[in-house]
């Protein structure tokens, strides 16, 4: 999920992300991604835009003490949660457009889960990924499909747009598989392939998801960017209550459930 800068500065937002979103929304895809790249004992793994570190942590669990894992993110607040959760992983603060790697450092596996869509220069970031991948190494990059294909998030954006005007949601802004594949081929990767994966997401409690999603939408809108913190908080509250009927549409006895889909591109060095 995009973390709007005003929310990122609140110490608790990355904790909320970890507490409410990671297990239901990000871990299932981390598991699928690491299946795809087939980890082997001793692998060095790089998780770019690691956030609170779910891909790195799943890799650590699968590799045990063998291998070496590095997670890089631009947000020190996200990394603080990552560090507290898994102190044995090498967490580094840095930008995907200029990866903080040691001289000639390379990895058998490079993964970037739902991060590429936020990078200001995707060509440079892809070149950085290519440089970080060791000969014969495996790359996996995922980006959500456009939200026009995800009725749940499209409907929530529709409610927010009543208050804020049109919103370009960065989270779903790089959803075309052909563009993702072309970016990786142009960066010099081989065997570039992508698949669309869909899955039902289940949340026992939809309220935190709705609030964080609304905060993200407000933070990404031109109107929200022009507001002060109090105005933003008020509009978040309004949108959250107006979104009730959408949430009801997706509610069942165990909470809420909706379909979500992503591109998963894989390639080799
Ligand atoms: C939706 S989160 C995904 C986090 C993690 N990969 C996961 O699956 O939970 C996107 C992450 O991208 C990070 N990010 C955005 N722009 C970045 C950049 N230029 N370089 C590194 N990280 C970046 C954000 O700080 C955020 O942690």
């Amino acid at each position: 999920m995009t973390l709007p800068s005003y929310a990122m500065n609140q110490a608790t937002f990355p904790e909320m992300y970890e507490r409410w979103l990671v297990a239901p929304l990000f871990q299932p895809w981390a598991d699928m991604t690491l299946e795809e790249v087939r980890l082997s004992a001793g692998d060095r793994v790089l998780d770019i835009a690691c956030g609170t570190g779910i891909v790195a942590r799943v890799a650590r669990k699968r590799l045990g003490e063998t291998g070496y894992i590095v997670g890089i993110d631009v947000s020190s607040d996200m990394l603080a949660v990552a560090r507290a959760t898994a102190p044995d992983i090498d967490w580094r603060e840095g930008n995907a457009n200029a990866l903080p790697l040691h001289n000639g450092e390379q990895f058998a596996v490079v993964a970037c889960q739902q991060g590429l869509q936020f990078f200001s220069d995707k060509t440079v970031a892809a070149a950085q990924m290519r440089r970080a991948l060791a000969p014969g190494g495996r790359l996996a990059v995922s980006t959500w499909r456009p939200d026009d294909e995800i009725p749940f998030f499209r409907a929530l954006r529709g409610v927010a747009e009543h208050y804020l005007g049109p919103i370009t949601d960065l989270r779903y802004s790089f959803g075309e598989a052909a563009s993702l594949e072309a970016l990786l081929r142009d960066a010099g990767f081989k065997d570039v392939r992508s698949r669309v994966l869909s899955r039902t997401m289940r949340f026992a409690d939809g309220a935190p998801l709705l609030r964080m999603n609304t905060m993200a939408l407000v933070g990404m809108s031109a109107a929200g960017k022009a507001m002060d913190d109090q105005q933003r908080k008020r509009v978040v509250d309004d949108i959250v209550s107006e979104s009730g009927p959408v949430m009801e549409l997706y509610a069942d006895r165990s909470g809420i459930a909706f379909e979500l889909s992503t591109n998963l591109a894989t390639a080799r060095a």
Side-chain angles (χ1 to χ4, degrees):
M1 171 156 310
T2 300
L3 304 175
S5 55
Y6 75 90
M8 291 287 283
N9 293 335
Q10 293 171 13
T12 59
F13 197 92
E15 288 164 7
M16 286 166 67
Y17 178 96
E18 176 62 27
R19 169 154 189 212
W20 298 107
L21 300 185
V22 166
L25 195 64
F26 291 99
Q27 179 157 358
W29 308 101
D31 287 328
M32 282 189 252
T33 297
L34 291 175
E35 276 308 311
E36 199 77 24
V37 292
R38 297 209 186 99
L39 295 181
S40 313
D43 273 348
R44 288 171 55 82
V45 178
L46 174 60
D47 178 8
I48 299 175
C50 63
T52 59
I54 189 58
V55 173
R57 286 186 270 142
V58 172
R60 159 59 72 229
K61 202 167 172 193
R62 289 180 180 215
L63 289 172
E65 286 314 303
T66 79
Y68 190 74
I69 320 244
V70 174
I72 293 175
D73 200 277
V74 79
S75 160
S76 57
D77 291 341
M78 293 295 260
L79 287 173
V81 175
R83 263 187 208 107
T85 314
D88 56 330
I89 290 173
D90 181 352
W91 305 109
R92 301 182 194 170
E93 186 175 337
N95 199 305
N97 292 342
L99 292 173
L101 300 180
H102 308 314
N103 257 351
E105 196 178 16
Q106 288 191 313
F107 297 82
V109 170
V110 172
C112 181
Q113 171 164 287
Q114 308 305 339
L116 180 65
Q117 53 269 54
F118 303 107
F119 301 163
S120 58
D121 192 331
K122 295 175 181 53
T123 303
V124 169
Q128 289 277 295
M129 290 178 193
R130 176 67 191 80
R131 197 174 316 154
L133 197 61
R138 290 94 70 203
L139 173 81
V141 179
S142 60
T143 58
W144 301 127
R145 297 289 300 170
D147 70 350
D148 280 337
E149 295 178 18
I150 305 167
F152 176 70
F153 284 120
R154 185 183 61 212
L156 291 177
R157 173 165 55 81
V159 176
E161 285 178 334
H162 283 149
Y163 289 82
L164 301 162
I167 301 169
T168 302
D169 191 329
L170 265 181
R171 295 171 294 183
Y172 308 101
S173 63
F174 201 65
E176 295 306 330
S179 308
L180 175 57
E181 288 182 20
L183 179 82
L184 298 179
R185 276 196 196 99
D186 291 349
F189 287 103
K190 292 189 288 200
D191 299 336
V192 176
R193 294 195 177 90
S194 79
R195 292 197 290 147
V196 175
L197 304 175
S198 296
R199 216 184 142 115
T200 304
M201 303 278 106
R202 293 193 171 277
F203 285 72
D205 179 0
L209 169 68
L210 172 60
R211 181 154 292 274
M212 283 185 271
N213 186 63
T214 307
M215 288 164 75
L217 288 167
V218 171
M220 282 184 287
S221 68
K225 284 183 182 133
M227 292 175 186
D228 63 30
D229 282 357
Q230 244 184 347
Q231 289 169 317
R232 274 193 217 113
K233 191 183 169 315
R234 210 172 308 126
V235 80
V236 166
D237 288 344
D238 290 345
I239 296 168
V240 163
S241 48
E242 196 77 11
S243 301
V246 174
M247 299 302 280
E248 273 163 35
L249 273 179
Y250 291 88
D252 59 23
R253 262 180 293 175
S254 59
I256 62 153
F258 58 92
E259 287 297 309
L260 183 58
S261 32
T262 187
N263 301 301
L264 176 60
T266 54
R268 288 186 166 272

